[in-house]
C-alpha cells in the first residue's frame, strides 16, 4: 500500500513538473505564481496523492497574460495578499524609497507612500475597481512588516560594527558605534538620527519588553512557534485550497502549520482518527489551543464533524483573543472561516479562480474579434 502511494506521488510530481514546463512556454500562470515562496511546504508532499492528482486534472489553468507588459495579476486576500512574492516586493520598494528618519510606521509621510504605490503599479496588475482595497493591502503589509524592517536594519548595522572591531553583546546594541555603520539603502545622516532616537532609556526598556515577549516559552520550555515556514497563514490557506480542490477547514490549516513533520505526514495519510492520538504538536501551547477549539466546535455544532462549517472565527477569538494564537497578523475571518472580513477587493482561491476564467474568456473574445477585423 505504502509503495503504491509513493509511486502515485512520483507520477503526480512528474505531471506537475510537466504542467509547469508547458505553462512557462505559454506565459504567466496566476495559479502557479500566486502563492509561490522560497521555502518548501512539506504537507503538500504528503497529501493523498490520488486526491491531489484528481484535483490537478480538474483545476483549469489560465495561461493568458493579463496585459501587454505581462505584469503578474494580483488580488487581495483578507488584510493583505497572501503572497510572499508580493510582500517581499513591497519590502524592496520600501528599501528603495527609504529617505527619512522614520522610527515608526506612523512617521512615514503619505507622499512617500504615494510614490511607492505608483512604483508598485508598474510591477503588478489588478482590477482597477479594487484599487482602493489594493492600496489598503499594500499599506497593511508595510504596517505589519515595519518593526521587522527596522530590526533587520539594526542587525545588519551591528554586524558591520562588530566586523570593524566594536565588541558588544548581541542583546545590548551599541548605537553610538552602530551610528557609523548604516545598513544598505539608508543614508548615513538618516541612520545617525535613527540611532540617536534608539539610544534612549525609554526605547531600550520597550525593546527589552518586546524581546522578552518574543522569547516567551510554553510549558515545555519551547519558544512559541509554528511549522509553516516563512509563508503567512493566508498563503497556506490558498495553497491548501488549491491542493485539496476545496476550502480547507481551519482544523486542517492549523494542523498543517502546527504539527511536527512526521505527524503531518501521518495526518495527510489518514493514520489518525478524530482524537489525533499519537500526533505530536510543535509546542504544548499549540496542542492546548487546538483541543480547546475542537471542544468548542463539538459543543456548538454537534458530534458529526461532517456537518461542521469550515471554521468559526468567533469561537477561536473568544478562546484566544482577536489576534488569536495561530493567526498572526492575518485576517482571522479569512484564516478561520475562509471568507474575508471585508469582501472589497478580497477573494478566496475559488473566487479568484472564477475571476481568472472570466479574464481568459475576455482575452479570447478580444483575439477572435481582432482576427475577424
Amino acid at each position: 500500500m505504502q509503495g503504491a502511494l509513493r509511486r502515485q506521488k512520483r507520477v503526480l510530481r512528474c505531471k506537475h513538473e510537466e504542467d509547469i514546463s508547458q505553462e512557462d512556454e505559454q506565459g504567466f500562470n496566476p495559479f502557479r505564481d500566486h502563492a509561490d515562496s522560497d521555502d518548501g511546504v512539506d504537507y503538500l508532499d504528503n497529501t493523498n496523492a490520488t486526491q491531489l492528482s484528481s484535483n490537478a486534472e480538474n483545476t483549469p489553468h489560465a495561461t493568458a497574460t493579463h496585459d501587454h507588459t505581462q505584469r503578474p495579476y494580483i488580488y487581495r486576500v483578507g488584510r493583505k495578499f497572501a503572497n510572499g512574492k508580493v510582500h517581499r516586493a513591497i519590502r524592496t520598494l520600501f528599501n528603495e524609497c527609504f529617505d527619512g528618519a522614520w522610527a515608526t510606521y506612523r512617521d512615514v509621510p503619505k507622499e512617500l507612500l504615494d510614490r511607492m504605490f505608483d512604483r508598485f503599479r508598474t510591477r503588478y496588475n489588478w482590477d482597477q475597481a479594487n484599487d482602493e482595497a489594493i492600496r489598503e493591502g499594500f499599506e497593511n503589509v508595510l504596517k505589519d512588516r515595519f518593526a521587522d524592517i527596522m530590526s533587520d536594519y539594526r542587525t545588519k548595522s551591528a554586524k558591520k560594527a562588530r566586523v570593524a572591531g566594536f565588541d558588544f553583546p548581541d542583546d545590548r546594541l551599541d548605537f553610538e558605534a552602530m551610528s557609523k555603520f548604516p545598513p544598505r539603502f539608508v543614508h548615513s545622516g538618516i541612520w545617525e538620527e535613527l540611532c540617536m532616537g534608539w539610544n534612549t532609556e525609554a526605547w531600550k526598556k520597550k525593546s527589552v519588553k518586546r524581546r522578552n515577549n518574543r522569547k516567551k516559552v510554553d510549558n515545555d520550555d519551547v519558544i512559541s512557534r509554528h511549522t509553516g515556514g516563512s509563508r503567512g497563514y493566508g498563503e497556506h490557506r490558498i495553497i491548501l485550497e488549491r491542493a485539496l480542490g476545496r476550502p480547507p477547514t481551519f482544523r486542517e490549516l492549523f494542523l498543517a502549520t502546527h504539527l511536527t513533520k512526521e505527524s503531518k505526514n501521518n495526518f495527510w495519510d489518514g493514520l489518525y482518527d478524530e482524537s489525533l492520538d499519537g500526533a505530536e504538536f510543535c509546542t504544548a501551547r499549540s496542542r492546548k489551543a487546538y483541543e480547546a477549539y475542537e471542544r468548542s466546535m463539538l459543543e456548538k455544532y454537534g458530534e458529526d464533524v461532517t456537518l461542521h462549517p469550515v471554521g468559526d472565527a468567533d469561537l477561536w477569538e473568544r478562546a484566544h483573543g482577536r489576534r488569536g494564537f495561530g493567526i498572526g497578523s492575518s485576517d482571522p475571518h479569512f484564516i478561520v472561516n475562509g471568507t474575508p472580513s471585508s469582501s472589497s477587493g478580497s477573494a478566496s482561491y475559488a473566487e479568484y479562480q472564477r475571476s481568472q476564467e472570466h479574464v481568459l474568456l475576455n482575452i479570447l473574445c478580444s483575439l477572435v474579434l481582432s482576427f475577424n477585423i
Side-chain angles (χ1 to χ4, degrees):
M1 177 66 181
Q2 291 297 320
L5 182 60
R6 284 193 292 271
R7 286 193 294 274
Q8 286 178 320
K9 289 180 179 178
R10 284 196 294 270
V11 170
L12 175 61
R13 187 173 292 108
C14 292
K15 181 182 187 306
H16 174 67
E17 292 171 353
E18 179 183 350
D19 288 343
I20 287 181
S21 174
Q22 293 172 353
E23 290 161 5
D24 286 338
E25 295 174 0
Q26 296 167 331
F28 170 73
N29 185 290
F31 302 120
R32 180 197 66 215
D33 292 345
H34 171 73
D36 189 15
S37 292
D38 294 334
D39 61 322
V41 182
D42 50 19
Y43 58 78
L44 284 184
D45 292 336
N46 299 289
T47 306
N48 183 277
T50 304
Q51 180 185 23
L52 279 182
S53 180
S54 174
N55 293 335
E57 293 170 358
N58 294 327
T59 300
H61 287 262
T63 55
T65 56
H66 289 278
D67 62 16
H68 67 282
T69 62
Q70 297 190 12
R71 288 174 293 170
Y73 187 91
I74 63 171
Y75 62 102
R76 183 173 153 191
V77 178
R79 294 182 65 252
K80 295 177 285 189
F81 302 98
N83 186 324
K85 281 186 174 180
V86 176
H87 295 176
R88 287 191 294 274
I90 294 173
R91 162 72 186 269
T92 299
L93 282 171
F94 182 80
N95 287 337
E96 293 171 354
C97 298
F98 193 93
D99 61 0
W102 308 309
T104 68
Y105 178 78
R106 290 189 298 272
D107 298 331
V108 180
K110 181 180 181 301
E111 294 75 18
L112 177 84
L113 294 175
D114 292 341
R115 190 163 74 246
M116 289 175 57
F117 192 64
D118 286 341
R119 289 194 187 186
F120 189 64
R121 290 179 187 277
T122 68
R123 304 186 184 191
Y124 292 98
N125 181 33
W126 58 82
D127 185 345
Q128 292 305 303
N130 296 326
D131 198 63
E132 184 177 342
I134 295 294
R135 169 64 183 257
E136 184 179 313
F138 174 87
E139 293 191 18
N140 285 339
V141 173
L142 284 176
K143 288 177 186 175
D144 293 346
R145 297 294 299 274
F146 190 87
D148 291 335
I149 293 172
M150 293 296 107
S151 177
D152 187 48
Y153 283 169
R154 290 190 292 269
T155 299
K156 290 178 178 176
S157 173
K159 183 177 180 180
K160 292 170 72 173
R162 292 188 181 100
V163 169
F166 291 90
D167 186 18
F168 51 91
D170 292 342
D171 60 344
R172 302 186 71 178
L173 300 178
D174 185 342
F175 288 111
E176 187 174 346
M178 289 165 53
S179 66
K180 302 176 179 63
F181 299 93
R184 188 184 176 195
F185 303 114
V186 184
H187 187 273
S188 58
I190 291 173
W191 186 246
E192 288 180 5
E193 188 175 345
L194 282 170
C195 286
M196 286 177 59
W198 292 326
N199 197 22
T200 62
E201 287 304 315
W203 187 89
K204 290 177 181 178
K205 286 181 180 179
K206 289 181 181 179
S207 177
V208 170
K209 184 177 180 179
R210 287 192 294 266
R211 184 168 62 247
N212 290 338
N213 287 338
R214 286 194 298 271
K215 291 183 177 181
K216 184 178 180 181
V217 297
D218 67 5
N219 294 338
D220 291 335
D221 291 331
V222 178
I223 295 175
S224 296
R225 55 187 168 81
H226 60 79
T227 57
S230 64
R231 284 187 170 101
Y233 291 109
E235 195 165 4
H236 278 291
R237 171 169 276 286
I238 287 176
I239 293 172
L240 270 176
E241 184 168 346
R242 179 173 57 188
L244 298 174
R246 59 168 175 78
T249 65
F250 180 58
R251 174 180 187 265
E252 291 169 325
L253 176 61
F254 190 84
L255 295 177
T257 52
H258 290 85
L259 287 179
T260 62
K261 185 171 183 178
E262 182 179 356
S263 290
K264 273 188 251 188
N265 295 351
N266 293 336
F267 173 71
W268 292 115
D269 284 341
L271 301 182
Y272 295 131
D273 58 21
E274 292 298 324
S275 67
L276 287 182
D277 285 341
E280 183 179 358
F281 286 75
C282 60
T283 64
R285 185 186 178 194
S286 60
R287 173 180 282 279
K288 288 180 179 179
Y290 171 79
E291 290 175 346
Y293 174 73
E294 284 296 288
R295 285 195 300 270
S296 298
M297 289 289 286
L298 291 173
E299 290 171 4
K300 183 173 181 178
Y301 297 104
E303 296 293 329
D304 189 350
V305 295
T306 63
L307 300 178
H308 288 193
V310 167
D312 190 322
D314 292 335
L315 285 183
W316 187 258
E317 290 178 2
R318 199 176 304 157
H320 305 287
R322 193 176 71 84
R323 290 292 177 88
F325 175 79
I327 300 296
S329 61
S330 304
D331 177 2
H333 283 269
F334 176 69
I335 300 304
V336 181
N337 298 347
T339 56
S341 298
S342 172
S343 61
S344 177
S346 302
S348 69
Y349 179 74
E351 291 169 331
Y352 174 62
Q353 200 173 48
R354 289 192 293 270
S355 74
Q356 298 315 298
E357 293 170 3
H358 181 69
V359 169
L360 178 59
L361 180 60
N362 287 340
I363 292 174
L364 291 175
C365 289
S366 298
L367 290 172
V368 170
L369 289 174
S370 65
F371 282 121
N372 288 337
I373 291 174

